[in-house]
Amino acid sequence: MSEDGIADGWRAFGAADWEAARDAFAAVLESEPDNPEALDGLGQSLWWLGERDAGIERRRQAYAAYQRRGDSLAAGRLATYLAGEHRINGQPAEAAGWQARAHRLLADHDTAPERGWLEVEYAKRAEDPVEAAGHAQAALDLAQQLGDPDVECMALAQLGRALVRQGRAAEGIALLDEAMTVALGGETNDPLACGDACCTTLVVCDDLADLDRAVEWCEAVVQFNERRRFLPVQSWCRGIYGGVLLRAGDWSRAEQVLSEALRGKEDRRLGSGRALSLSVLAELRLRQGRHEEAERLLSGLEDSPQAAPVLARLLLERGEPERAEAVLERHAAALGEDDAQLLSLRGEIALAREVTHLATAGAARLDELAARLDREDLAAEADLIRGRVAAATGEEDAAAAALERAISSFSAVRFPFEEGRARLALAELQAAAGSPAALESARSACRVFERLGARREADRSAALLRSLGVSGRSVSRGSDRDELTSREREVLSLLADGLSNAEIAERLVIAPKTAEHHVGRVLGKLGVGSRAEAAALAVREGLC
């Protein structure tokens, strides 16, 4: 009887009918609570239904049940799975323990598919890309020997990733494309293997700033996951997709993709697709100048390496470079010393702290990484930092040359927000030098930011244009000013009258902290850096 129930469960599982599979395996366990295959099937079904904790626990129970039966092969397979889940959760000690257990249990099973899964896990954990490639190649050789497409697609993806990390990008990308073909072409049987290959490929394409390939594969993966009801993988992939669209400047589409990824149950744990999507959405809000919303999105993600770069940027933009540095360095090991965001933010933090030699060193590290990975966007980031350093130290010609290179490179890779930042830095340099070229540079930056909806940077560009004696907007600012709520207009009026935060709070019968938040939002929306600037702007343009 249990065999029939288990067979029913696996049939439903193969059809991605996770609810029916769950019910079938649960029915078996009512009469045989220690049945390891039913426990394993129930755990996998729950995982695909989005009940990750419950799914992992059932598979841990299945591991113990297999051990009691003396089935080292099945127990070793589950030990490998549990090693991966603990690695994703940011629990390295427990992950290492499960991996060691898997190694011991599979020591006499060198030609089993389970050994291939273990080699893939070794490849994921390896810090040295040469070592990672060795494990991935061992898994690939075994997969091809056995004709196992599940292990093959994962091994191809991990080998491709390892080659990219070695600077062999063209070879690595070819393997990643092949991995995706195996995963999405109907060859695989295990949805976890398919999802693993997809996630690896999308992460590498995103890391390489290969926008065309990343968008193409993201669209294919999202559609595939929707058809197959691979909901947990779909959430993660949508997070990656949102990040790709964010960098490509398609912010409305990014918001739509991220909103779809965030539907469903709340889950802010390390490694969850939701945590990734929240971090990317917070980055979008920062670029839009909506800092308070970004802060709310990041709440509860302080321990997540995924969220560390955007949290550091939030603090940096609020004028707290020391706190930004502390957040970044806390997660530096998890991010990896070659992480592009880590290196770029280190340079910006050093600039904010006026430690120019550290900023210069950061630019040099970015140059090294750009050369190794053949990434023009990283070379552009290095030039942007180098140009800002030269501007800060009075080397106008060197600064202008570096910023011009950054603009050209960001334009070539189609990173519009970053291009706008470089144009604004050049405009500020030219304005300080009294160059007539500042006007067109500032206008170009303003157009980029207005098109994107990057309010904070658009306001900076507009303020620079006003200081140059021209209109601060290429289009009417009325719609943006309408974003001031009625309460914020009251606050602005009182601020223009010279009232302090405490006096504003007393006049409006609100808490002083609330008044402080309102003043901060008004300054942010107006794109000014002080109360005096806000008051002057309000009087000059009749905003209150």
Side-chain angles (χ1 to χ4, degrees), residues 270 275 279 286 298 301-315 323-332 334-335 339 341-342 345 349:
L270 297 176
S279 299
L286 273 188
L298 293 169
L301 296 178
E302 293 80 7
D303 293 330
S304 172
Q306 295 167 353
V310 66
L311 180 55
R313 184 168 292 284
L314 172 64
L315 292 168
R323 286 187 64 198
E325 184 176 37
V327 166
L328 207 58
E329 296 311 316
R330 178 188 172 198
H331 295 288
L335 291 169
D339 182 82
Q341 289 189 88
L342 174 70
L345 278 166
I349 290 168

Side-chain angles (χ1 to χ4, degrees), residues 166-289:
Q166 292 177 42
R168 299 159 62 184
E171 297 173 69
I173 287 170
L175 291 172
L176 290 162
D177 286 346
E178 185 180 357
M180 292 295 278
T181 301
V182 176
L184 304 183
E187 296 181 51
T188 57
N189 298 305
D190 192 319
L192 195 60
C194 173
D196 187 275
C198 290
C199 287
T200 300
T201 300
L202 296 188
V203 168
V204 174
C205 288
D206 186 36
D207 286 346
L208 282 175
D210 189 342
L211 294 182
D212 290 336
R213 178 174 270 98
V215 167
E216 181 180 346
W217 280 129
C218 280
E219 290 175 346
V221 168
V222 166
Q223 292 170 9
F224 179 84
N225 288 334
E226 286 177 347
R227 290 196 305 271
R228 296 295 185 92
R229 299 184 67 218
F230 292 176
L231 301 183
V233 176
Q234 181 179 335
S235 176
W236 176 272
C237 292
R238 283 186 185 278
I240 296 293
Y241 193 11
V244 170
L245 294 170
L246 175 67
R247 281 176 279 287
D250 194 346
W251 290 4
S252 60
R253 194 174 174 199
E255 181 147 7
Q256 178 184 355
V257 167
L258 293 168
S259 296
E260 291 168 351
L262 291 169
R263 290 175 185 164
K265 297 180 180 179
E266 180 79 4
D267 184 356
R268 290 173 175 254
R269 294 168 303 177
L270 297 176
S272 73
R274 189 177 184 86
L276 172 64
S277 296
L278 285 166
S279 299
V280 177
L281 185 56
E283 184 180 353
L284 173 58
R285 292 290 179 258
L286 273 188
R287 294 189 178 201
Q288 292 171 327

Side-chain angles (χ1 to χ4, degrees), residues 350-361 383-400 402-403 425 428-429 432-433:
L351 276 166
R353 296 180 60 197
E354 300 181 354
V355 188
T356 54
H357 71 280
L358 289 181
T360 300
D383 276 328
L384 178 54
I385 292 171
R386 195 176 290 111
R388 291 175 61 193
V389 168
T393 55
E395 302 171 74
E396 293 176 7
D397 290 344
L403 293 172
E428 290 171 338
L429 174 74

